[in-house]
Amino acid sequence: MERKRLEQPEDHASDALFVQDASGKIVELPREMRDLLKRYGLALVLAGLALFVRSVLPFPEGTSVYQLPIAAIVLSAWYGGRGPGLLALLICATGVWYWYIPPVRSWDISPEHAMGFSIFVALSLLLTQFSGARRRVEHALRASEERFRTLVQFSFDVYWESDAQHRFTRQEFAERLTDAPAPGSEIGKTRWEIPYLEPDEEAWRNHRATLDAHLPFRDFELARPTPDGGRRYVSVSGMPVFDEFGRFVGYRGVGRHITEHRRAEEERRAHVWFLESMDRVNRAMQRTNDLEQMMGDVLEAVLEIFASDRAWLLYPCDPDAPSWSPIMERTRPEFPGAAACGRDLPMTPESAEVARVALASSGALLRGGSHKHQPSAEIAQNFGVRSDMLMALRPKDDRPYLFGLHQCSRVRTWTKEEQRLFEEVGHRLTDALGSLIVFRGLRESERQLEEAQRVAHLGYWDRDLVANRVVLAEESWRIFGVEPHERPADLAEWNKRWHAFIDPDDRPRVLAAVQAALAGGPRYDVEFRIARKNGEVRVIHSQGDVIRDASGRAIRMFGTQQDITALRQAEKDLRASETRFRALVDHATDGFFLHADDSTVIDVNQQACRSLGYSREELIGMHPRQFDAGLDRPSLAQITERIGKGEAVTFETLHQRKDGSVFPVEVRVRQFQHGERRLHASLVRDISERKRVEAELRARQELLDLAQKAARAVAFDWYIGARESENRWSPELEALYGLKPGTFDGTYQGWKKLVHPDDWPAVKVAINRAHESGDIAAEYRVIHKDGAVHWLRAKGRMFFDAKGQPERMVGFMFDVTDWRHAEEALREKDNALQMARTELARVSRLTTLGELTASIAHEVNQPIGAMVTNAAACARWLAAQPPDMAEAQAALANIVADGKRAGEVIARIRALTRRQAPRMELLDVNRKVREVLALAEHELKTHGIVLRTELAPTLPGVAGDRVQLQQVLLNLIVNAIEAMSGHDRPHELTIVTAAKEPGAVVVEVRDSGPGLDEGVERVFEPFYTTKAQGIGIGLSISRSIVEAHGGRLWATSNQPHGAVFRFSLPVAQEGAA
Amino acid sequence: MSEGQAVVFVIDDDESMRRSLATLLRSVGLDARVFSSPQEFMRAERPDAPGCLVLDVRLPGLSGLAFQERLAKEGIALPIIFITGHGDVPMTVRAMKAGAVEFLSKPFDDQVLLDGIHGAIERDRQRRRHAAQLAELQERYRALTEREREIFTLVIAGRLNKQIAAELGLSVVTVKVHRAQVMRKMLAKSIVDLVRMADQLGVPRTV
């Protein structure tokens, strides 16, 4: 009502409305009033201005300038409506009367003036009339607006306008609305300043962007809270409004309350969701008969339908049970549940409470969110549950299950629909579980029975004599080997078949047993053989009872049969095995005794009888003391005690025969369990022979020791490879090495350490040689602890296993220190000869003098020339103006370096001496090789080099200088020796002579040194050397000698290591020598 | 052809020798380029300037004397100064016969070497100058027409115009014109001048 009162005045623009405060002071004028004042005010101001202009400006009489303000007044009046129009008319009339027709005193108006005045009045009236037309238009407009508003009121629930800042300036609500806000309560606020629940910030941002862009919008949906805690959904549309100058002044639009619409839509959706979900769950249940599969499928479906994080079944839901286990669970990957841990959950007080509550309730228990209960702290902590829904399921014939859903990702308030669906699923699941559990139990027992029958090869049979029917268990059929499609139609047919199956030998007995049973005789219980179709024979044990009717007539036979073939076979095998074992024991070469717990003999074998001279019957019942002559009571008791502990005891003793003679034996005893009894078995071996051999060996060893002492030789026996750990040295051998008895560890490395390091390469070579030839021959030094150096010589043989691997070394070791000293003394005498040999080698390094001189001169002149030139340059640098000290110094440094080099070259040359002129003669190359080798023998030995020669049996002679060719050979050999020294590989030098090329003899010198890694040809350059002491001239000289003989000298690499030097010499022409 | 800074090439397989020669030549302001082998020298780019070659007789691969022959065969006319660690008379003779400027035994006197080098460079310079002159003369000679060359040959053989005219079946006036043309093209001031040019060019005196 109040709204109407307020609205009414505003609808009639020409009337005024004042708002007055208590004192009657006007505080606000309505808009129309303000407009009126503006219009009349403007008219008055313009009129005043016209009068002012008329009075001040000296317009000539009779001009019609006054019409200008008059027109302005009329126009403003026109704009203003009826009131201003009349006012303008009045002013005009007054003006005309007062100013235009002076003096008033006279009514003598000229016809002109009267005419003008009349026209003016008429015009004014006309204008007023037009003004009335405008009012009518306005009225029509207002009516239209009213209609439109009514339309809006019917079509929409709210009409609104807002200003440029989007603040509501006007809101009109449809009368039918019951949930509209208080009128005016939202005026002056923006849409988003009024409390809302929806949409989210993002949507608001977009909406405001649309408004700021001054674009129209449609169906912007929002929800406002209602006083009763509900939601009021509103859908708003709006259009921007621009004034006549195109300026944006605000929005106007409409809104619809869509709360009801929404509710209906949601209800429908919930209903459809419920039906669809149930359908899905049902299908999951019906898809399979497998309980596990069904539960899994249902949980899977439930997990998805509810969009929850975990769906599970716990069993049993019993607060008194110690624990419950998650029997099935489906979860989102990020929220694994208890089943993933694979363990049972203990029934804590909290869980028990949950189980109790669930069991007490017929429906679901909802927790979390705005529900009354919250998930217990325990599961919230252990499984991160924030909301859950639980329900106890009570399937038939089983303990209750607990069915549940967890929400971990967020707090969730379950809706009524969700609860309803959950409960419905729970009920369906209960039914499905019940039937499946029954089904499963039945199947399981059937399966177990069948399995038991199959395992025991036991089957039942049932003969209905009246109905002529036969029923056999599956296993029974299997026993007979009858396939399903071969089964007989009736009893008569089966009887025929059955008779045929039975072994002919057993048949009469079996049939008689059947007849006897039917006739009321003994119970049917027979064992017989059958032959299956494929010829396989089985042994069957069959038994059964006869069922009779009231008259005593046999109507049915029921019984079981069992395949006992395996059992019978096992029995047979066992008997055979026993016999075999007995025979084995009897024929054993060792005596075998079986003792009771108190050591009394309870059985013996033939050998035991033979060795002791007693019969088996005599020995049984004897105590070992009666035939043992070697052990006293305490040691026998000790042995018995050890046997009692389960040890296998071996000991030597003497046994006494029946005739009183005594022989040594080795006894091995062990206790074993035979059924309830504990027995001892002992194995007795006659060791008379072994004892005799041992004694003999000992005697021989003593003899050997004596011999060794006499010869100052010590035997050694050394295992190689796997048995190395068994190596033991005799004290004598250790003494040779200066070791205390028993201190040698027996290892190869330990021995290696004892050998003088300088002799090790030679020893290594000796070992390698032994690997090839089997002969051990080595001489080396050892240093005793007291510092004395002893020379040891080893002689012996190496033995190999079947694969050719060395296995053992046996031989003698001598201390040859004294002998060595004597030899050295001898060698010193030989020194003169040795000196001569060295001299020869040194001298023979020289070659044709010319070649040498040229080389040397070149080598010496080179640095000297450089020095002189540098000196000259230095002098010039110093003489220059100004002197260049840096260059002079560099030149001096060069002089120093060159001087040193010249000195080195000269030092190398000093050793050279002159030699006499060459003399040509016919030479045997093989002989020369042997001579040189004899010369180099000492060198080879010193370096521990293995020499191999492959000399051609016959070689043509060559012409040459004996000394020069010897020198070439010697040079190559010395080079080879030097190349090989200092390398750990076997040192092998091979000399080959052959008439390989036609008309030429080739000599090869191979070594196993490092080889020629640089350019092979470089080694022949004069003064090229790899040796610290060499001048690097030997090969150059050798080549020039060979070439002087008309031959060639060249080098290649040896495989796998080393170098080969070959030289060829032309065969001497006949008569050349 | 430019007459740039003279270059001394040194080939010696001994590094200290190369170094000492380089510093010596540098000390007298010569542009020295050193090589360890003839192959290296042949691979290197040689400037178009007067120069000489200081060559060790004993070299790896190719001996100095053999290399001298090869240079001659390839038309590289560098004057050569031999240096050697052990020179003998036959070697010296062979080198000098093949056109060597000097044959020095190490150690040698630096002044002798430098004199030899300067002499060789001067010789090369002259050779290059002569070669340039000859080339110019040949250029001029190539500019002559067939007829003019005939007349040129006859003029330097001392024939008179009349004789030439008769021999070639031309008029005397024509011969005179041709002869004047020859003198002009060859830039000869006199008949004597022309004859000297003919000597240099190796134009035969008789027809």
CSV table of all heavy atoms in Angstrom, one decimal, chain A residues 854-855 857-858 861-866 868-870 872-873 876-877 887 891 894 897-898 901 1022, chain B residues 12-14 16-17 19-21 23-24 26-28 56 58 84-86 106-108 110-111 114:
chain,number,residue,atom,x,y,z
A,854,ALA,N,131.7,-41.0,-42.5
A,854,ALA,CA,130.7,-40.1,-43.1
A,854,ALA,C,129.6,-39.8,-42.1
A,854,ALA,O,129.2,-38.7,-41.9
A,854,ALA,CB,130.2,-40.7,-44.4
A,855,SER,N,129.1,-40.9,-41.6
A,855,SER,CA,128.0,-40.8,-40.6
A,855,SER,C,128.4,-39.9,-39.4
A,855,SER,O,127.7,-39.0,-39.0
A,855,SER,CB,127.5,-42.1,-40.1
A,855,SER,OG,126.9,-42.8,-41.1
A,857,ALA,N,131.0,-37.9,-39.1
A,857,ALA,CA,131.3,-36.5,-39.5
A,857,ALA,C,130.0,-35.7,-39.6
A,857,ALA,O,129.9,-34.5,-39.1
A,857,ALA,CB,132.1,-36.5,-40.8
A,858,HIS,N,129.0,-36.2,-40.3
A,858,HIS,CA,127.8,-35.5,-40.5
A,858,HIS,C,127.2,-35.2,-39.1
A,858,HIS,O,126.7,-34.1,-38.8
A,858,HIS,CB,126.8,-36.4,-41.3
A,858,HIS,CG,125.6,-35.7,-41.7
A,858,HIS,ND1,124.4,-35.8,-41.1
A,858,HIS,CD2,125.4,-34.8,-42.7
A,858,HIS,CE1,123.5,-35.1,-41.7
A,858,HIS,NE2,124.1,-34.4,-42.7
A,861,ASN,N,129.3,-32.6,-37.3
A,861,ASN,CA,129.4,-31.3,-38.0
A,861,ASN,C,128.0,-30.6,-37.8
A,861,ASN,O,128.0,-29.4,-37.8
A,861,ASN,CB,129.7,-31.5,-39.4
A,861,ASN,CG,131.2,-31.6,-39.6
A,861,ASN,OD1,132.0,-31.2,-38.7
A,861,ASN,ND2,131.6,-32.1,-40.7
A,862,GLN,N,127.0,-31.4,-37.8
A,862,GLN,CA,125.6,-30.7,-37.7
A,862,GLN,C,125.6,-29.8,-36.5
A,862,GLN,O,125.3,-28.6,-36.7
A,862,GLN,CB,124.6,-31.8,-37.6
A,862,GLN,CG,123.3,-31.5,-38.1
A,862,GLN,CD,123.2,-31.4,-39.6
A,862,GLN,OE1,123.7,-30.4,-40.2
A,862,GLN,NE2,122.7,-32.4,-40.2
A,863,PRO,N,125.8,-30.2,-35.2
A,863,PRO,CA,125.7,-29.3,-34.1
A,863,PRO,C,126.8,-28.2,-34.2
A,863,PRO,O,126.5,-27.1,-33.8
A,863,PRO,CB,125.8,-30.2,-32.9
A,863,PRO,CG,126.4,-31.5,-33.4
A,863,PRO,CD,126.0,-31.6,-34.8
A,864,ILE,N,128.0,-28.6,-34.7
A,864,ILE,CA,129.1,-27.6,-34.7
A,864,ILE,C,128.7,-26.5,-35.7
A,864,ILE,O,128.9,-25.3,-35.4
A,864,ILE,CB,130.4,-28.3,-35.1
A,864,ILE,CG1,130.8,-29.2,-33.9
A,864,ILE,CG2,131.5,-27.2,-35.3
A,864,ILE,CD1,132.1,-30.0,-34.2
A,865,GLY,N,128.2,-26.9,-36.8
A,865,GLY,CA,127.8,-25.9,-37.8
A,865,GLY,C,126.8,-25.0,-37.2
A,865,GLY,O,126.8,-23.8,-37.4
A,866,ALA,N,125.8,-25.6,-36.5
A,866,ALA,CA,124.7,-24.7,-35.9
A,866,ALA,C,125.3,-23.8,-34.9
A,866,ALA,O,125.0,-22.6,-34.8
A,866,ALA,CB,123.7,-25.7,-35.3
A,868,VAL,N,128.4,-22.5,-34.8
A,868,VAL,CA,129.1,-21.5,-35.5
A,868,VAL,C,128.2,-20.4,-36.0
A,868,VAL,O,128.3,-19.2,-35.8
A,868,VAL,CB,130.0,-22.1,-36.6
A,868,VAL,CG1,130.6,-21.0,-37.4
A,868,VAL,CG2,131.1,-22.9,-35.9
A,869,THR,N,127.1,-20.9,-36.7
A,869,THR,CA,126.2,-20.0,-37.3
A,869,THR,C,125.5,-19.2,-36.2
A,869,THR,O,125.3,-17.9,-36.4
A,869,THR,CB,125.2,-20.8,-38.1
A,869,THR,OG1,125.9,-21.7,-38.9
A,869,THR,CG2,124.3,-19.9,-38.9
A,870,ASN,N,125.1,-19.8,-35.1
A,870,ASN,CA,124.4,-19.1,-34.0
A,870,ASN,C,125.4,-18.1,-33.5
A,870,ASN,O,124.9,-17.0,-33.2
A,870,ASN,CB,124.1,-20.1,-32.9
A,870,ASN,CG,122.7,-20.7,-33.2
A,870,ASN,OD1,121.8,-20.0,-33.6
A,870,ASN,ND2,122.5,-22.0,-32.9
A,872,ALA,N,127.8,-16.5,-35.0
A,872,ALA,CA,127.9,-15.4,-35.9
A,872,ALA,C,126.7,-14.5,-35.8
A,872,ALA,O,126.8,-13.3,-35.8
A,872,ALA,CB,128.0,-16.0,-37.3
A,873,ALA,N,125.5,-15.2,-35.8
A,873,ALA,CA,124.3,-14.4,-35.7
A,873,ALA,C,124.3,-13.6,-34.4
A,873,ALA,O,123.9,-12.4,-34.4
A,873,ALA,CB,123.1,-15.4,-35.7
A,876,ARG,N,126.3,-10.5,-34.7
A,876,ARG,CA,125.6,-9.5,-35.5
A,876,ARG,C,124.5,-8.8,-34.7
A,876,ARG,O,124.3,-7.6,-34.8
A,876,ARG,CB,125.0,-10.1,-36.8
A,876,ARG,CG,126.1,-10.4,-37.8
A,876,ARG,CD,125.5,-11.2,-39.0
A,876,ARG,NE,126.7,-11.7,-39.7
A,876,ARG,CZ,127.3,-11.0,-40.6
A,876,ARG,NH1,127.0,-9.7,-40.9
A,876,ARG,NH2,128.3,-11.5,-41.3
A,877,TRP,N,123.7,-9.6,-33.9
A,877,TRP,CA,122.7,-9.0,-33.1
A,877,TRP,C,123.3,-8.0,-32.1
A,877,TRP,O,122.7,-7.0,-31.9
A,877,TRP,CB,121.9,-10.1,-32.3
A,877,TRP,CG,121.0,-10.9,-33.1
A,877,TRP,CD1,121.0,-12.3,-33.3
A,877,TRP,CD2,119.9,-10.5,-33.9
A,877,TRP,NE1,120.1,-12.7,-34.1
A,877,TRP,CE2,119.3,-11.6,-34.6
A,877,TRP,CE3,119.4,-9.2,-34.2
A,877,TRP,CZ2,118.3,-11.5,-35.4
A,877,TRP,CZ3,118.3,-9.2,-35.1
A,877,TRP,CH2,117.7,-10.3,-35.7
A,887,GLU,N,117.4,-11.4,-29.0
A,887,GLU,CA,117.8,-12.3,-30.1
A,887,GLU,C,119.2,-12.9,-29.8
A,887,GLU,O,119.5,-14.1,-30.0
A,887,GLU,CB,117.9,-11.6,-31.5
A,887,GLU,CG,116.5,-11.3,-32.0
A,887,GLU,CD,115.9,-12.5,-32.8
A,887,GLU,OE1,116.4,-13.6,-32.6
A,887,GLU,OE2,114.9,-12.3,-33.5
A,891,ALA,N,120.2,-16.8,-29.4
A,891,ALA,CA,121.2,-17.5,-30.2
A,891,ALA,C,122.2,-18.2,-29.2
A,891,ALA,O,122.7,-19.3,-29.5
A,891,ALA,CB,121.9,-16.5,-31.0
A,894,ASN,N,120.9,-21.4,-27.9
A,894,ASN,CA,121.0,-22.4,-29.0
A,894,ASN,C,122.4,-23.0,-29.0
A,894,ASN,O,122.6,-24.2,-29.2
A,894,ASN,CB,120.6,-21.8,-30.3
A,894,ASN,CG,119.1,-21.5,-30.4
A,894,ASN,OD1,118.3,-22.1,-29.7
A,894,ASN,ND2,118.8,-20.7,-31.4
A,897,ALA,N,122.8,-25.5,-26.3
A,897,ALA,CA,122.1,-26.8,-26.6
A,897,ALA,C,122.9,-27.6,-27.6
A,897,ALA,O,123.1,-28.8,-27.5
A,897,ALA,CB,120.7,-26.5,-27.0
A,898,ASP,N,123.3,-26.9,-28.7
A,898,ASP,CA,124.0,-27.6,-29.7
A,898,ASP,C,125.4,-28.1,-29.2
A,898,ASP,O,125.8,-29.2,-29.6
A,898,ASP,CB,124.3,-26.6,-30.9
A,898,ASP,CG,123.0,-26.2,-31.6
A,898,ASP,OD1,122.0,-27.0,-31.5
A,898,ASP,OD2,122.9,-25.1,-32.1
A,901,ARG,N,124.8,-31.3,-27.4
A,901,ARG,CA,124.5,-32.4,-28.4
A,901,ARG,C,125.8,-32.9,-29.0
A,901,ARG,O,126.0,-34.1,-29.1
A,901,ARG,CB,123.5,-31.8,-29.4
A,901,ARG,CG,122.9,-32.9,-30.2
A,901,ARG,CD,121.9,-32.3,-31.2
A,901,ARG,NE,122.2,-32.9,-32.5
A,901,ARG,CZ,121.9,-32.2,-33.7
A,901,ARG,NH1,121.5,-31.0,-33.7
A,901,ARG,NH2,122.2,-32.8,-34.8
A,1022,PRO,N,121.3,-44.7,-39.0
A,1022,PRO,CA,122.4,-44.6,-38.1
A,1022,PRO,C,122.0,-43.7,-36.9
A,1022,PRO,O,121.3,-42.8,-37.0
A,1022,PRO,CB,123.5,-43.9,-38.9
A,1022,PRO,CG,123.1,-43.9,-40.3
A,1022,PRO,CD,121.6,-44.1,-40.3
B,12,ASP,N,116.8,-27.8,-44.4
B,12,ASP,CA,117.8,-28.6,-43.7
B,12,ASP,C,117.0,-29.5,-42.7
B,12,ASP,O,116.0,-29.0,-42.1
B,12,ASP,CB,118.7,-27.7,-42.9
B,12,ASP,CG,120.0,-28.4,-42.4
B,12,ASP,OD1,119.8,-29.6,-41.9
B,12,ASP,OD2,121.1,-27.9,-42.5
B,13,ASP,N,117.3,-30.8,-42.6
B,13,ASP,CA,116.5,-31.6,-41.7
B,13,ASP,C,116.9,-31.5,-40.3
B,13,ASP,O,116.2,-32.0,-39.4
B,13,ASP,CB,116.6,-33.1,-42.2
B,13,ASP,CG,118.0,-33.6,-42.0
B,13,ASP,OD1,119.0,-32.8,-42.1
B,13,ASP,OD2,118.2,-34.8,-41.9
B,14,ASP,N,118.0,-30.8,-40.0
B,14,ASP,CA,118.5,-30.6,-38.6
B,14,ASP,C,117.9,-29.4,-38.1
B,14,ASP,O,118.1,-28.3,-38.6
B,14,ASP,CB,120.0,-30.5,-38.6
B,14,ASP,CG,120.5,-30.6,-37.2
B,14,ASP,OD1,120.5,-31.7,-36.6
B,14,ASP,OD2,120.9,-29.5,-36.6
B,16,SER,N,118.3,-27.7,-35.2
B,16,SER,CA,119.2,-26.6,-34.7
B,16,SER,C,119.9,-25.8,-35.8
B,16,SER,O,120.1,-24.6,-35.7
B,16,SER,CB,120.2,-27.2,-33.7
B,16,SER,OG,121.0,-28.2,-34.4
B,17,MET,N,120.2,-26.5,-36.8
B,17,MET,CA,120.8,-25.9,-38.0
B,17,MET,C,119.8,-24.9,-38.6
B,17,MET,O,120.2,-23.7,-38.9
B,17,MET,CB,121.2,-26.9,-39.0
B,17,MET,CG,122.3,-26.5,-40.0
B,17,MET,SD,123.9,-26.3,-39.2
B,17,MET,CE,124.4,-24.8,-40.1
B,19,ARG,N,117.4,-23.4,-37.1
B,19,ARG,CA,117.1,-22.3,-36.2
B,19,ARG,C,118.3,-21.3,-36.3
B,19,ARG,O,118.1,-20.1,-36.4
B,19,ARG,CB,117.0,-22.9,-34.8
B,19,ARG,CG,116.2,-22.0,-33.9
B,19,ARG,CD,115.8,-22.7,-32.6
B,19,ARG,NE,117.0,-23.5,-32.1
B,19,ARG,CZ,116.9,-24.6,-31.4
B,19,ARG,NH1,115.7,-25.2,-31.2
B,19,ARG,NH2,118.0,-25.2,-30.9
B,20,SER,N,119.5,-21.9,-36.4
B,20,SER,CA,120.7,-21.0,-36.4
B,20,SER,C,120.7,-20.2,-37.7
B,20,SER,O,121.0,-19.0,-37.7
B,20,SER,CB,122.0,-21.8,-36.2
B,20,SER,OG,122.2,-22.6,-37.3
B,21,LEU,N,120.4,-20.8,-38.8
B,21,LEU,CA,120.4,-20.1,-40.1
B,21,LEU,C,119.3,-19.0,-40.1
B,21,LEU,O,119.6,-17.9,-40.6
B,21,LEU,CB,120.2,-21.1,-41.2
B,21,LEU,CG,121.4,-21.9,-41.6
B,21,LEU,CD1,121.0,-23.0,-42.6
B,21,LEU,CD2,122.5,-21.0,-42.2
B,23,THR,N,118.1,-17.3,-37.6
B,23,THR,CA,118.5,-16.2,-36.8
B,23,THR,C,119.6,-15.4,-37.4
B,23,THR,O,119.6,-14.1,-37.4
B,23,THR,CB,118.8,-16.6,-35.3
B,23,THR,OG1,119.1,-15.4,-34.6
B,23,THR,CG2,120.0,-17.5,-35.2
B,24,LEU,N,120.5,-16.1,-38.1
B,24,LEU,CA,121.6,-15.4,-38.8
B,24,LEU,C,121.1,-14.5,-39.9
B,24,LEU,O,121.4,-13.3,-40.0
B,24,LEU,CB,122.6,-16.4,-39.4
B,24,LEU,CG,123.8,-15.8,-40.2
B,24,LEU,CD1,124.7,-15.0,-39.3
B,24,LEU,CD2,124.6,-16.9,-40.9
B,26,ARG,N,118.1,-13.4,-40.3
B,26,ARG,CA,117.3,-12.4,-39.7
B,26,ARG,C,118.1,-11.2,-39.2
B,26,ARG,O,117.8,-10.1,-39.4
B,26,ARG,CB,116.4,-12.9,-38.6
B,26,ARG,CG,115.1,-12.2,-38.3
B,26,ARG,CD,114.1,-13.0,-37.6
B,26,ARG,NE,114.7,-13.4,-36.2
B,26,ARG,CZ,114.7,-14.6,-35.8
B,26,ARG,NH1,114.3,-15.6,-36.6
B,26,ARG,NH2,115.2,-14.9,-34.6
B,27,SER,N,119.3,-11.6,-38.7
B,27,SER,CA,120.2,-10.6,-38.1
B,27,SER,C,120.7,-9.6,-39.2
B,27,SER,O,121.0,-8.5,-38.9
B,27,SER,CB,121.4,-11.2,-37.4
B,27,SER,OG,122.3,-11.8,-38.3
B,28,VAL,N,120.7,-10.1,-40.5
B,28,VAL,CA,121.2,-9.1,-41.5
B,28,VAL,C,119.9,-8.7,-42.3
B,28,VAL,O,120.1,-8.1,-43.4
B,28,VAL,CB,122.2,-9.8,-42.5
B,28,VAL,CG1,123.5,-10.1,-41.7
B,28,VAL,CG2,121.6,-11.0,-43.1
B,56,ASP,N,120.6,-28.2,-47.7
B,56,ASP,CA,121.5,-29.2,-47.1
B,56,ASP,C,121.6,-30.4,-48.1
B,56,ASP,O,120.7,-30.8,-48.7
B,56,ASP,CB,120.9,-29.7,-45.8
B,56,ASP,CG,121.9,-30.6,-45.0
B,56,ASP,OD1,123.1,-30.6,-45.4
B,56,ASP,OD2,121.4,-31.3,-44.1
B,58,ARG,N,122.6,-33.6,-47.4
B,58,ARG,CA,122.0,-34.8,-46.8
B,58,ARG,C,120.6,-34.5,-46.3
B,58,ARG,O,120.5,-33.9,-45.2
B,58,ARG,CB,122.9,-35.3,-45.7
B,58,ARG,CG,123.5,-36.6,-45.9
B,58,ARG,CD,124.3,-36.9,-44.7
B,58,ARG,NE,124.0,-38.2,-44.1
B,58,ARG,CZ,124.7,-39.3,-44.3
B,58,ARG,NH1,125.8,-39.2,-45.0
B,58,ARG,NH2,124.3,-40.4,-43.8
B,84,THR,N,126.8,-28.6,-46.3
B,84,THR,CA,126.9,-30.0,-46.0
B,84,THR,C,127.7,-30.3,-44.8
B,84,THR,O,128.6,-29.5,-44.4
B,84,THR,CB,127.4,-30.8,-47.2
B,84,THR,OG1,127.5,-32.2,-46.8
B,84,THR,CG2,128.8,-30.4,-47.6
B,85,GLY,N,127.4,-31.4,-44.1
B,85,GLY,CA,128.2,-31.8,-42.9
B,85,GLY,C,129.5,-32.4,-43.3
B,85,GLY,O,130.5,-32.3,-42.6
B,86,HIS,N,129.5,-33.1,-44.4
B,86,HIS,CA,130.7,-33.8,-44.9
B,86,HIS,C,130.8,-33.7,-46.4
B,86,HIS,O,130.2,-34.6,-47.1
B,86,HIS,CB,130.8,-35.2,-44.4
B,86,HIS,CG,129.7,-36.1,-44.9
B,86,HIS,ND1,128.4,-35.9,-44.6
B,86,HIS,CD2,129.8,-37.2,-45.7
B,86,HIS,CE1,127.7,-36.8,-45.2
B,86,HIS,NE2,128.5,-37.6,-45.9
B,106,LYS,N,129.9,-27.5,-43.4
B,106,LYS,CA,129.7,-27.0,-42.0
B,106,LYS,C,130.9,-27.4,-41.2
B,106,LYS,O,131.5,-28.5,-41.4
B,106,LYS,CB,128.5,-27.8,-41.4
B,106,LYS,CG,127.2,-27.4,-42.1
B,106,LYS,CD,126.1,-28.3,-41.5
B,106,LYS,CE,124.9,-28.4,-42.4
B,106,LYS,NZ,123.9,-29.3,-42.0
B,107,PRO,N,131.4,-26.6,-40.3
B,107,PRO,CA,130.9,-25.3,-40.1
B,107,PRO,C,131.4,-24.3,-41.1
B,107,PRO,O,132.6,-24.4,-41.4
B,107,PRO,CB,131.4,-25.0,-38.7
B,107,PRO,CG,132.6,-25.8,-38.5
B,107,PRO,CD,132.5,-27.0,-39.4
B,108,PHE,N,130.6,-23.4,-41.5
B,108,PHE,CA,131.1,-22.4,-42.5
B,108,PHE,C,131.2,-21.0,-41.9
B,108,PHE,O,130.6,-20.7,-40.9
B,108,PHE,CB,130.1,-22.5,-43.7
B,108,PHE,CG,128.7,-22.6,-43.3
B,108,PHE,CD1,128.1,-21.4,-42.8
B,108,PHE,CD2,128.0,-23.7,-43.5
B,108,PHE,CE1,126.7,-21.5,-42.4
B,108,PHE,CE2,126.7,-23.8,-43.1
B,108,PHE,CZ,126.0,-22.7,-42.5
B,110,ASP,N,130.2,-17.4,-41.6
B,110,ASP,CA,128.9,-16.7,-41.9
B,110,ASP,C,129.0,-15.7,-43.0
B,110,ASP,O,128.1,-15.6,-43.8
B,110,ASP,CB,128.4,-16.1,-40.6
B,110,ASP,CG,129.4,-15.1,-40.0
B,110,ASP,OD1,130.6,-15.4,-39.8
B,110,ASP,OD2,129.0,-13.9,-39.7
B,111,GLN,N,130.2,-15.0,-43.0
B,111,GLN,CA,130.3,-13.9,-44.1
B,111,GLN,C,130.3,-14.6,-45.4
B,111,GLN,O,129.6,-14.0,-46.4
B,111,GLN,CB,131.6,-13.1,-43.8
B,111,GLN,CG,131.5,-11.8,-44.5
B,111,GLN,CD,130.2,-11.0,-44.2
B,111,GLN,OE1,129.9,-10.7,-43.0
B,111,GLN,NE2,129.5,-10.6,-45.2
B,114,LEU,N,126.8,-15.4,-46.2
B,114,LEU,CA,125.9,-14.2,-46.5
B,114,LEU,C,126.3,-13.6,-47.8
B,114,LEU,O,125.4,-13.2,-48.6
B,114,LEU,CB,126.1,-13.2,-45.4
B,114,LEU,CG,125.5,-13.6,-44.0
B,114,LEU,CD1,125.7,-12.6,-43.0
B,114,LEU,CD2,124.0,-13.9,-44.2
